[in-house]
DNA sequence: CTGAAAGCGCTAACAG
DNA sequence: CTGTTAGCGCTTTCAG
């Protein structure tokens, strides 16, 4: 690493290296003429400040740790894109880690990021147990959870109103005439999933329809899981006219299973998802779903984190954004 | 930041802080009994080594910068997932930046990462001009390009054999009886795209068929671009029996345009892509394509980078992996 | 306005 | 085997 340092510049400019530092940091206590000269010499010599050394003395790195369960999940990669761009605008870089849906790994990378002295952490947690396994950590470094509700927990989070979103989804199907709606993919290890299920159950109760649920006992919502659950369901005759999925990824798996069985969507079966990942908009998929405003989530989370970095002892905060129905062509009206 | 430092531990343990450092670094020159005692005290006090301070003296950060054009592109997010997991196994963390298909931004984030003293950089460049705009930088920090061919350029890269891959794709269509094959999405700003086009042209020449090309004058290959190009093409009568796309994302856009026009795939038109992104496997898409071995690309790139970090002055290297045909159901055999 | 010097937390000689 | 010490490159008092 033979790079140019402040000292080198100082030597050439014939000033002390404190002066060079001041010239670059835009300090007011320096003569305009020296500043200009020093800045020019810095450029000529190709000097770039060493962020590591700066972090050392400033006691902040301007790095945000981002922990996601899996970066190649479309919802998360979209969130990451928004986060990275906004974070950079705010003067921060992102250090990204996959927890791979594993609580131990999640803890490990969290601790790793702490050792790297990131100024804060934004994370999509593995599930509701994450709070428990991470609480000694989240008490030590500003942390914001994103996309996941941490209700009644001493954590900061930004998410959508999942219950209301799923209730609206259910009622949309109801309004189309559906009375037998299967809810597919409820996961036990996630408060968010619990809330979505609640939304569905509320709507059922309100309209006097019988709930019917297929649970997802795995820790993740993937195409494969959606496919497997639907495939099993389709093996026996079923009476539901619509399937409401806990996530778009699951719904896309359902499409696959339906396709193999010759079940046409929406002709034979209506289908809805949740999240509105970009692929759901593609015509061969064309999935009616509930949108999570990803950019707003990202911006809110970053702003919230910045606030906490400034005031680490402020009380915990949450931001709940509104989801919205996105009507495409995977549902049809039916007559009784 | 009131965290525990080596000094604090040393004080409690009643030893010098060099001893603590040695106990933790697994140095052989330390008594087993002191080591155990010190390690225990570290744990009790919740001590975590400060990577920033360590980087300062070690002159390496164990951070790899990853620059991609857009992390929410499925090909790139899959690559990123593999890279992050493997890098972590090698003791590195990833700092991820989007260049947003912009040469200036690409340069900016590259320089930013250099200021952060990353040990190396892996990047999917904006295009073939990237070498020119970045060459003063890539000379200063170990850099490996991934997915993009930098032929005859003094750079390190790992990619697939794009020409052969596309030639095989073309010949596959030929073997199905296609003689009028449209190549859609050739991009001028990318060597990789140039090679893919070459592969197509070679096959055409070899089999005496007339090439027909729709260029993509934008800087990226997205659903939207594929859709727009195909839509325009479909507006007039056309004679091609197959479309070969420069990327899967383009092909998915073509599916959309075809769908809107009532053109059935593969009944009315055969379609192929390149990359084999995960979505191409979904039955509603079910795209025949050419696979890029993403995990192998990621691992090779990381290994290559590690080598360069060790021997920065070694001659530039390249690794070319083999693409492979993935036959699904978007192409059909036709009779003359 | 500018220089000198301390120190961020750690590693790595160098002594003992 | 263990302690002492000198930096890594930078910011920031504190003097001048």
């Amino acid at each position: 690493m033979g790079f140019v340092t402040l000292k080198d510049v100082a030597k050439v400019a014939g000033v002390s290296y404190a002066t060079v530092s001041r010239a670059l940091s835009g300090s007011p206590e320096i003569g305009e003429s020296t500043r200009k000269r020093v800045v020019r010499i810095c450029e000529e010599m190709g000097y770039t400040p060493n962020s590591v050394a700066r972090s050392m003395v400033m006691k902040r790195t301007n790095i945000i740790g981002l922990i996601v369960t899996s970066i190649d999940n479309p919802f998360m990669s979209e969130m990451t894109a928004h986060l990275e761009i906004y974070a950079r605008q705010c003067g921060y870089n992102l250090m990204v880690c996959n927890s791979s849906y594993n609580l131990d790994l999640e803890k490990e990378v969290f601790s790793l990021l702490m050792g790297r002295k990131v100024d804060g952490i934004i994370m999509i947690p593995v599930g509701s147990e994450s709070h428990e396994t991470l609480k000694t950590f989240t008490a030590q470094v500003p942390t914001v959870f994103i996309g996941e509700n941490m209700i009644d927990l001493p954590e900061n989070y930004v998410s959508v109103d999942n219950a209301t979103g799923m209730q609206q989804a259910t009622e949309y199907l109801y309004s189309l005439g559906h009375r037998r709606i299967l809810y597919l993919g409820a996961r036990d290890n996630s408060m968010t999933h619990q809330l979505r299920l609640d939304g569905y159950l509320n709507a059922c109760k309100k309209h006097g329809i019988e709930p019917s649920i297929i649970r997802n006992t795995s820790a993740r919502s993937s195409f494969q899981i959606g496919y497997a659950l639907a495939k099993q369901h389709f093996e026996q005759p079923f009476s539901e006219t619509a399937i409401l999925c806990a996530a778009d990824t699951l719904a896309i798996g359902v499409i696959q299973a339906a396709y193999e069985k010759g079940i046409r969507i929406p002709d034979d079966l209506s289908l809805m998802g949740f999240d509105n990942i970009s692929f759901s908009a593609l015509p061969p998929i064309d999935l009616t779903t509930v949108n999570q405003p990803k950019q707003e989530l990202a911006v809110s989370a970053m702003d919230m984190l910045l606030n906490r970095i400034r005031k680490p002892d402020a009380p915990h905060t949450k931001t709940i954004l509104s989801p919205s129905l996105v009507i495409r062509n995977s549902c049809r009206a039916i007559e009784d």
Side-chain angles (χ1 to χ4, degrees), chain A:
Chain A
M1 278 209 205
F3 49 81
V4 185
T5 72
L6 269 191
K7 250 180 195 159
D8 303 325
V9 178
K11 208 171 294 169
V12 173
V15 295
S16 76
Y17 62 97
T19 303
V20 182
S21 171
R22 278 191 278 254
L24 263 51
S25 69
S27 157
E29 38 180 31
I30 188 176
E32 198 49 40
S33 59
T34 14
R35 141 159 311 129
K36 271 186 186 152
R37 200 166 56 83
V38 168
V39 168
R40 188 173 45 75
I41 293 177
C42 282
E43 280 168 9
E44 282 173 12
M45 297 181 67
Y47 168 76
T48 354
N50 181 331
S51 307
V52 178
R54 178 176 283 172
S55 297
M56 188 87 243
V57 26
M58 304 276 270
K59 293 186 161 310
R60 60 193 170 78
T61 52
N62 278 41
I63 298 176
I64 300 297
L66 175 64
I67 305 175
V68 297
T69 47
S70 187
I71 185 77
D72 63 348
N73 170 302
F75 176 72
M76 305 195 197
S77 69
E78 289 177 46
M79 291 296 307
T80 304
H82 290 128
L83 281 167
E84 195 276 325
I85 290 166
Y86 185 60
R88 188 140 38 83
Q89 282 173 16
C90 300
Y92 288 81
N93 281 112
L94 240 48
M95 195 165 280
V96 181
C97 293
N98 291 293
S99 63
S100 302
Y101 302 93
N102 177 324
L103 284 170
D104 293 328
L105 249 184
E106 180 175 63
K107 202 169 162 181
E108 190 181 314
V109 298
F110 200 111
S111 155
L112 223 112
L113 291 171
M114 282 177 63
R116 290 210 177 270
K117 300 297 168 218
V118 297
D119 292 343
I121 289 181
I122 294 181
M123 66 185 301
I124 298 183
V126 169
S128 44
E129 306 98 315
S130 295
H131 162 71
E132 194 58 30
T133 59
L134 295 176
K135 64 184 176 188
T136 55
F137 291 164
T138 56
Q140 294 177 64
V141 49
T143 305
V144 169
F145 290 86
I146 187 165
E148 181 78 12
N149 301 64
M150 310 298 279
I151 292 183
D152 293 336
L153 256 26
E155 306 282 8
N156 312 287
Y157 65 93
V158 18
S159 76
V160 296
D161 184 342
N162 285 289
T164 301
M166 201 54 102
Q167 178 157 352
Q168 284 171 354
T170 315
E171 291 186 336
Y172 170 67
L173 287 171
Y174 184 86
S175 75
L176 289 178
H178 296 277
R179 296 295 176 265
R180 293 184 304 278
I181 302 169
L182 173 66
Y183 187 84
L184 183 143
R187 244 168 57 192
D188 289 330
N189 75 332
S190 155
M191 173 59 83
T192 297
H193 275 247
Q194 186 55 52
L195 290 169
R196 290 184 188 173
L197 182 59
D198 286 350
Y200 164 74
L201 292 172
N202 283 346
C204 287
K205 183 178 282 177
K206 182 169 162 192
H207 298 288
I209 63 182
E210 191 68 30
S212 139
I213 300 167
I214 293 182
R215 293 192 173 269
N216 171 7
T217 52
S218 86
R220 60 209 285 178
S221 302
S222 64
F223 301 140
Q224 288 74 25
I225 301 284
Y227 171 75
L229 293 175
K231 182 172 175 156
Q232 194 181 352
H233 178 67
F234 292 154
E235 256 156 27
Q236 290 153 27
F238 59 91
S239 61
E240 291 89 357
T241 58
I243 296 184
L244 180 54
C245 294
D248 279 5
T249 43
L250 292 170
I252 291 174
V254 173
I255 293 176
Q256 175 169 1
Y259 181 89
E260 289 180 6
K261 266 289 183 187
I263 298 168
R264 292 164 307 163
I265 293 170
D267 305 343
D268 304 327
L269 182 69
S270 288
L271 181 68
M272 277 191 78
F274 198 108
D275 284 344
N276 191 29
I277 62 176
S278 59
F279 302 95
S280 299
L282 301 173
I285 296 182
D286 209 18
L287 184 69
T288 293
T289 186
V290 178
N291 180 58
Q292 295 209 52
K294 291 152 210 78
Q295 184 164 16
E296 293 174 45
L297 283 168
V299 169
S300 300
M302 190 64 204
D303 285 340
M304 184 184 282
L305 186 60
L306 257 30
N307 280 330
R308 283 208 80 73
I309 290 172
R310 256 172 244 126
K311 296 185 273 195
D313 300 321
H316 293 282
T317 53
K318 60 178 179 182
T319 300
I320 309 289
L321 301 177
S322 294
S324 55
L325 214 55
V326 178
I327 297 176
R328 298 205 182 93
N329 293 302
S330 64
C331 300
R332 74 174 187 97
I334 58 171
E335 303 85 37
D336 270 320

